[in-house]
Amino acid sequence: MSNASSVKRNKKGKITYSWKVKGLGWGIVAFEIVTIILWLLAVYGNGAVAVSMVSHAFGAATGGQTEVLNTTSGSTISVPVIGAGFFPVSVSVDATFLNNQNQTVAQVNDKVMVSPGQTSTLVLAAPNGLLSSNSTLSSYHVHADFRISSLDGLVGMGVELTFVPSGGGGSS
Amino acid sequence: MNRVVKAVLWAIPPIILLVVLPRLVLAYVPTSYVSSLRSYADIDLSSLVNGLTIFGIVFACLSALQTWAYDWSIAKPVASSLHVITSYVLLLFLIGIGNPLTFGTTRITMSLSSFGSSLGPSSITIDLVSTFLAIVVGIAVALKILQRGMKFSEAKKLHALDLAEEAGPSQAAPTVTTVVTPSAAFPRTHNRFCTNCGKPPVEGAQFSTEGNISVNGRWVCKPASESADCCHG
């Protein structure tokens, strides 16, 4: 009955619970506030990395930092990833190119983990002919998956694209 | 205020927020927008509003039950726990845009061919993952249910004390036994008072226990013969 001694009624007849119950209640409130803060920080970090990658991609169109290197086996696209926010962020790209017979023609993928304030590079190696000027990208079925996540994948965003050319061609 | 009236009043806000308001908003959204949303983004606003209606009715019933039940009644923690669990499922429902089974992931799929493009069956799917929120809020829900249980336990003990106070001291007397010093008149085996009459037994009477003497047992005397009185006058 030790708890009962700290449980009593106030002047209005309502129950005043023990310090254990009150403490647990306040602990739950603090726990939820910390959860929301961590979630917002993770979303902010993911968003900041995504924005910086998009800005570099657009910058590449006007001579930015994304490099396209032609090698003997194909082309390599290097995209800088700048860490932002408060948590390490994981960035992954996975693109599969299929021909009309549903056979895999090429697979381009890479995954990097970048800590806040650090820079890493996403390297996408495309085989010969895929990115050449006379390549017929529009003839490929493309399945691409781009993901940014933090907190062990528990907070993140992803874009999944599936392109199937029509009979007359036409690219995405 | 009457508890029933309070219960009815507490049932009204969930009905307004989750049943009336969404239906009112849906009524003002043009039908073309609703059908466009369904065909382009696979989001069915009608089923979303129906889902919110169900949640609203459940919340209204649980709120009324919570308000009506006494703190020491088992209905209170049960209704309160179900209320918290339903809130959690509603959170998952809203994050999943009508599908709580995604467990914190918002998934929007847009069919590109619906936009009239020259592509085949192409689509773009956007995922917003908030599994962290779903897991941690689930832990908070479990802690809240634990807190409800503790509140119920304390309220029940307080209620028992209140009842004991109302009953008063007189009803406690029959279960009190007094130990007297053993003497020639009252040998060791007869150092109790009879629970039936409250008096020590006469010599020669048999004195025995009924039940577990350590918990709620009673000392009772049995006369040496049927006509004899076993208790001292």
Side-chain angles (χ1 to χ4, degrees), chain B residues 7 10-20 22-23 49-65 83 86 90:
Chain B
W10 274 99
I12 292 174
I15 297 287
I16 292 174
L17 285 171
L18 293 174
V19 178
V20 175
R23 289 194 179 273
V49 167
N50 289 339
L52 287 176
T53 301
I54 294 171
F55 277 107
I57 293 170
V58 171
F59 273 122
C61 295
L62 292 175
S63 296
L65 184 60
H83 195 279
T86 309
L90 176 63

Short mmCIF file of all heavy atoms in Angstrom, two decimals, chain B residues 7 10-20 22-23 49-65 83 86 90:
data_model
loop_
_atom_site.label_atom_id
_atom_site.label_comp_id
_atom_site.label_asym_id
_atom_site.label_seq_id
_atom_site.Cartn_x
_atom_site.Cartn_y
_atom_site.Cartn_z
N ALA B 7 -20.20 12.77 -20.74
CA ALA B 7 -19.76 11.77 -21.72
C ALA B 7 -20.26 12.13 -23.11
O ALA B 7 -19.52 12.03 -24.10
CB ALA B 7 -20.27 10.39 -21.31
N TRP B 10 -18.23 15.05 -24.49
CA TRP B 10 -16.88 14.67 -24.92
C TRP B 10 -16.90 13.86 -26.21
O TRP B 10 -15.89 13.74 -26.89
CB TRP B 10 -16.17 13.89 -23.82
CG TRP B 10 -15.50 14.80 -22.84
CD1 TRP B 10 -15.96 15.18 -21.62
CD2 TRP B 10 -14.23 15.45 -23.02
NE1 TRP B 10 -15.07 16.03 -21.02
CE2 TRP B 10 -14.00 16.22 -21.85
CE3 TRP B 10 -13.28 15.46 -24.03
CZ2 TRP B 10 -12.86 16.99 -21.67
CZ3 TRP B 10 -12.14 16.22 -23.85
CH2 TRP B 10 -11.94 16.98 -22.69
N ALA B 11 -18.05 13.29 -26.56
CA ALA B 11 -18.14 12.52 -27.80
C ALA B 11 -18.31 13.43 -29.02
O ALA B 11 -18.11 12.99 -30.15
CB ALA B 11 -19.31 11.55 -27.72
N ILE B 12 -18.67 14.68 -28.79
CA ILE B 12 -18.97 15.56 -29.92
C ILE B 12 -17.73 16.01 -30.71
O ILE B 12 -17.75 15.96 -31.94
CB ILE B 12 -19.80 16.78 -29.42
CG1 ILE B 12 -21.19 16.30 -28.98
CG2 ILE B 12 -19.93 17.84 -30.50
CD1 ILE B 12 -22.04 17.37 -28.35
N PRO B 13 -16.62 16.45 -30.08
CA PRO B 13 -15.47 16.93 -30.87
C PRO B 13 -14.94 15.92 -31.89
O PRO B 13 -14.68 16.30 -33.04
CB PRO B 13 -14.42 17.27 -29.81
CG PRO B 13 -15.20 17.56 -28.58
CD PRO B 13 -16.40 16.67 -28.63
N PRO B 14 -14.75 14.62 -31.57
CA PRO B 14 -14.29 13.69 -32.61
C PRO B 14 -15.26 13.60 -33.77
O PRO B 14 -14.83 13.46 -34.93
CB PRO B 14 -14.19 12.34 -31.88
CG PRO B 14 -14.12 12.67 -30.45
CD PRO B 14 -14.91 13.91 -30.27
N ILE B 15 -16.54 13.68 -33.48
CA ILE B 15 -17.53 13.60 -34.56
C ILE B 15 -17.38 14.81 -35.49
O ILE B 15 -17.38 14.68 -36.73
CB ILE B 15 -18.97 13.54 -33.99
CG1 ILE B 15 -19.18 12.28 -33.16
CG2 ILE B 15 -20.00 13.66 -35.09
CD1 ILE B 15 -19.27 11.02 -33.96
N ILE B 16 -17.18 15.97 -34.87
CA ILE B 16 -17.07 17.19 -35.69
C ILE B 16 -15.77 17.17 -36.51
O ILE B 16 -15.78 17.44 -37.72
CB ILE B 16 -17.11 18.44 -34.79
CG1 ILE B 16 -18.51 18.60 -34.18
CG2 ILE B 16 -16.74 19.69 -35.58
CD1 ILE B 16 -18.63 19.72 -33.18
N LEU B 17 -14.65 16.80 -35.83
CA LEU B 17 -13.35 16.89 -36.50
C LEU B 17 -13.14 15.81 -37.56
O LEU B 17 -12.51 16.06 -38.59
CB LEU B 17 -12.23 16.80 -35.46
CG LEU B 17 -12.01 18.05 -34.62
CD1 LEU B 17 -11.03 17.75 -33.51
CD2 LEU B 17 -11.50 19.20 -35.48
N LEU B 18 -13.62 14.61 -37.28
CA LEU B 18 -13.27 13.49 -38.16
C LEU B 18 -14.44 13.03 -39.05
O LEU B 18 -14.22 12.28 -40.00
CB LEU B 18 -12.79 12.30 -37.32
CG LEU B 18 -11.46 12.54 -36.61
CD1 LEU B 18 -11.13 11.38 -35.69
CD2 LEU B 18 -10.33 12.74 -37.60
N VAL B 19 -15.64 13.43 -38.72
CA VAL B 19 -16.77 12.97 -39.54
C VAL B 19 -17.35 14.14 -40.34
O VAL B 19 -17.44 14.09 -41.57
CB VAL B 19 -17.87 12.33 -38.65
CG1 VAL B 19 -19.04 11.90 -39.50
CG2 VAL B 19 -17.32 11.15 -37.89
N VAL B 20 -17.71 15.21 -39.62
CA VAL B 20 -18.43 16.31 -40.29
C VAL B 20 -17.50 17.13 -41.18
O VAL B 20 -17.79 17.35 -42.37
CB VAL B 20 -19.10 17.20 -39.22
CG1 VAL B 20 -19.74 18.42 -39.85
CG2 VAL B 20 -20.13 16.41 -38.43
N PRO B 22 -14.39 16.59 -42.61
CA PRO B 22 -13.88 16.01 -43.86
C PRO B 22 -14.97 15.89 -44.93
O PRO B 22 -14.72 16.14 -46.10
CB PRO B 22 -13.37 14.63 -43.43
CG PRO B 22 -13.06 14.78 -42.01
CD PRO B 22 -14.09 15.72 -41.48
N ARG B 23 -16.18 15.55 -44.51
CA ARG B 23 -17.26 15.40 -45.49
C ARG B 23 -17.64 16.75 -46.07
O ARG B 23 -17.97 16.87 -47.25
CB ARG B 23 -18.47 14.73 -44.85
CG ARG B 23 -18.20 13.28 -44.57
CD ARG B 23 -19.43 12.47 -44.24
NE ARG B 23 -19.00 11.10 -44.03
CZ ARG B 23 -18.87 10.20 -45.00
NH1 ARG B 23 -19.17 10.54 -46.25
NH2 ARG B 23 -18.46 8.98 -44.75
N VAL B 49 -12.05 9.73 -46.69
CA VAL B 49 -13.05 10.36 -45.82
C VAL B 49 -13.87 9.30 -45.08
O VAL B 49 -14.19 9.45 -43.90
CB VAL B 49 -13.96 11.29 -46.65
CG1 VAL B 49 -15.18 11.72 -45.88
CG2 VAL B 49 -13.18 12.52 -47.11
N ASN B 50 -14.16 8.19 -45.77
CA ASN B 50 -14.88 7.09 -45.10
C ASN B 50 -14.06 6.53 -43.95
O ASN B 50 -14.58 6.20 -42.88
CB ASN B 50 -15.23 5.98 -46.09
CG ASN B 50 -16.30 6.41 -47.07
OD1 ASN B 50 -17.06 7.34 -46.80
ND2 ASN B 50 -16.36 5.73 -48.20
N GLY B 51 -12.77 6.39 -44.18
CA GLY B 51 -11.89 5.90 -43.12
C GLY B 51 -11.88 6.85 -41.93
O GLY B 51 -11.95 6.43 -40.77
N LEU B 52 -11.82 8.16 -42.21
CA LEU B 52 -11.82 9.14 -41.11
C LEU B 52 -13.15 9.09 -40.36
O LEU B 52 -13.19 9.29 -39.14
CB LEU B 52 -11.61 10.55 -41.68
CG LEU B 52 -10.19 10.86 -42.16
CD1 LEU B 52 -10.13 12.23 -42.79
CD2 LEU B 52 -9.19 10.76 -41.02
N THR B 53 -14.22 8.80 -41.08
CA THR B 53 -15.54 8.68 -40.42
C THR B 53 -15.52 7.55 -39.41
O THR B 53 -16.01 7.69 -38.28
CB THR B 53 -16.64 8.45 -41.47
OG1 THR B 53 -16.66 9.52 -42.38
CG2 THR B 53 -18.00 8.29 -40.81
N ILE B 54 -14.96 6.42 -39.81
CA ILE B 54 -14.90 5.27 -38.90
C ILE B 54 -14.07 5.62 -37.67
O ILE B 54 -14.45 5.33 -36.53
CB ILE B 54 -14.31 4.04 -39.63
CG1 ILE B 54 -15.26 3.59 -40.73
CG2 ILE B 54 -14.06 2.91 -38.65
CD1 ILE B 54 -14.70 2.54 -41.65
N PHE B 55 -12.93 6.26 -37.91
CA PHE B 55 -12.10 6.68 -36.77
C PHE B 55 -12.86 7.64 -35.86
O PHE B 55 -12.76 7.55 -34.63
CB PHE B 55 -10.81 7.35 -37.26
CG PHE B 55 -9.72 6.39 -37.63
CD1 PHE B 55 -9.39 6.18 -38.96
CD2 PHE B 55 -9.03 5.69 -36.66
CE1 PHE B 55 -8.40 5.28 -39.30
CE2 PHE B 55 -8.02 4.80 -36.98
CZ PHE B 55 -7.70 4.60 -38.31
N GLY B 56 -13.59 8.56 -36.46
CA GLY B 56 -14.34 9.54 -35.67
C GLY B 56 -15.37 8.87 -34.77
O GLY B 56 -15.51 9.22 -33.60
N ILE B 57 -16.06 7.88 -35.31
CA ILE B 57 -17.10 7.19 -34.52
C ILE B 57 -16.44 6.41 -33.38
O ILE B 57 -16.91 6.41 -32.23
CB ILE B 57 -17.93 6.26 -35.43
CG1 ILE B 57 -18.75 7.10 -36.42
CG2 ILE B 57 -18.85 5.37 -34.61
CD1 ILE B 57 -19.42 6.31 -37.50
N VAL B 58 -15.33 5.75 -33.69
CA VAL B 58 -14.63 4.98 -32.64
C VAL B 58 -14.14 5.92 -31.54
O VAL B 58 -14.29 5.64 -30.34
CB VAL B 58 -13.46 4.19 -33.26
CG1 VAL B 58 -12.59 3.59 -32.18
CG2 VAL B 58 -13.98 3.11 -34.18
N PHE B 59 -13.54 7.04 -31.94
CA PHE B 59 -13.05 8.00 -30.95
C PHE B 59 -14.19 8.54 -30.09
O PHE B 59 -14.03 8.74 -28.89
CB PHE B 59 -12.34 9.17 -31.64
CG PHE B 59 -10.89 8.94 -31.91
CD1 PHE B 59 -10.39 9.01 -33.19
CD2 PHE B 59 -10.02 8.63 -30.89
CE1 PHE B 59 -9.06 8.79 -33.45
CE2 PHE B 59 -8.68 8.41 -31.12
CZ PHE B 59 -8.19 8.48 -32.42
N ALA B 60 -15.33 8.81 -30.72
CA ALA B 60 -16.47 9.35 -29.98
C ALA B 60 -16.93 8.36 -28.92
O ALA B 60 -17.17 8.74 -27.76
CB ALA B 60 -17.61 9.68 -30.95
N CYS B 61 -17.03 7.09 -29.31
CA CYS B 61 -17.47 6.06 -28.35
C CYS B 61 -16.46 5.93 -27.21
O CYS B 61 -16.82 5.86 -26.03
CB CYS B 61 -17.63 4.71 -29.05
SG CYS B 61 -18.92 4.70 -30.29
N LEU B 62 -15.18 5.89 -27.55
CA LEU B 62 -14.17 5.70 -26.52
C LEU B 62 -14.08 6.92 -25.60
O LEU B 62 -13.90 6.79 -24.39
CB LEU B 62 -12.80 5.42 -27.17
CG LEU B 62 -12.68 4.08 -27.88
CD1 LEU B 62 -11.34 3.97 -28.60
CD2 LEU B 62 -12.83 2.92 -26.89
N SER B 63 -14.21 8.12 -26.16
CA SER B 63 -14.17 9.33 -25.34
C SER B 63 -15.34 9.35 -24.36
O SER B 63 -15.18 9.69 -23.18
CB SER B 63 -14.22 10.59 -26.22
OG SER B 63 -13.10 10.66 -27.04
N ALA B 64 -16.51 8.97 -24.86
CA ALA B 64 -17.69 8.95 -23.99
C ALA B 64 -17.50 7.94 -22.88
O ALA B 64 -17.80 8.21 -21.70
CB ALA B 64 -18.94 8.62 -24.81
N LEU B 65 -16.99 6.76 -23.23
CA LEU B 65 -16.80 5.71 -22.23
C LEU B 65 -15.74 6.13 -21.19
O LEU B 65 -15.92 5.92 -19.99
CB LEU B 65 -16.36 4.42 -22.92
CG LEU B 65 -16.21 3.17 -22.05
CD1 LEU B 65 -17.51 2.83 -21.36
CD2 LEU B 65 -15.72 1.99 -22.87
N HIS B 83 -8.16 4.12 -26.83
CA HIS B 83 -8.13 5.47 -27.41
C HIS B 83 -6.72 5.79 -27.92
O HIS B 83 -6.55 6.32 -29.03
CB HIS B 83 -8.54 6.48 -26.33
CG HIS B 83 -8.89 7.83 -26.86
ND1 HIS B 83 -7.95 8.77 -27.18
CD2 HIS B 83 -10.09 8.39 -27.13
CE1 HIS B 83 -8.55 9.86 -27.62
NE2 HIS B 83 -9.85 9.66 -27.61
N THR B 86 -5.94 3.66 -31.00
CA THR B 86 -6.66 4.15 -32.17
C THR B 86 -6.00 5.43 -32.69
O THR B 86 -5.93 5.63 -33.92
CB THR B 86 -8.13 4.41 -31.82
OG1 THR B 86 -8.70 3.26 -31.20
CG2 THR B 86 -8.95 4.75 -33.06
N LEU B 90 -4.55 5.94 -36.41
CA LEU B 90 -4.96 7.10 -37.21
C LEU B 90 -3.74 7.82 -37.77
O LEU B 90 -3.73 8.25 -38.92
CB LEU B 90 -5.81 8.06 -36.37
CG LEU B 90 -6.24 9.37 -37.05
CD1 LEU B 90 -7.14 9.09 -38.25
CD2 LEU B 90 -6.95 10.29 -36.08
#
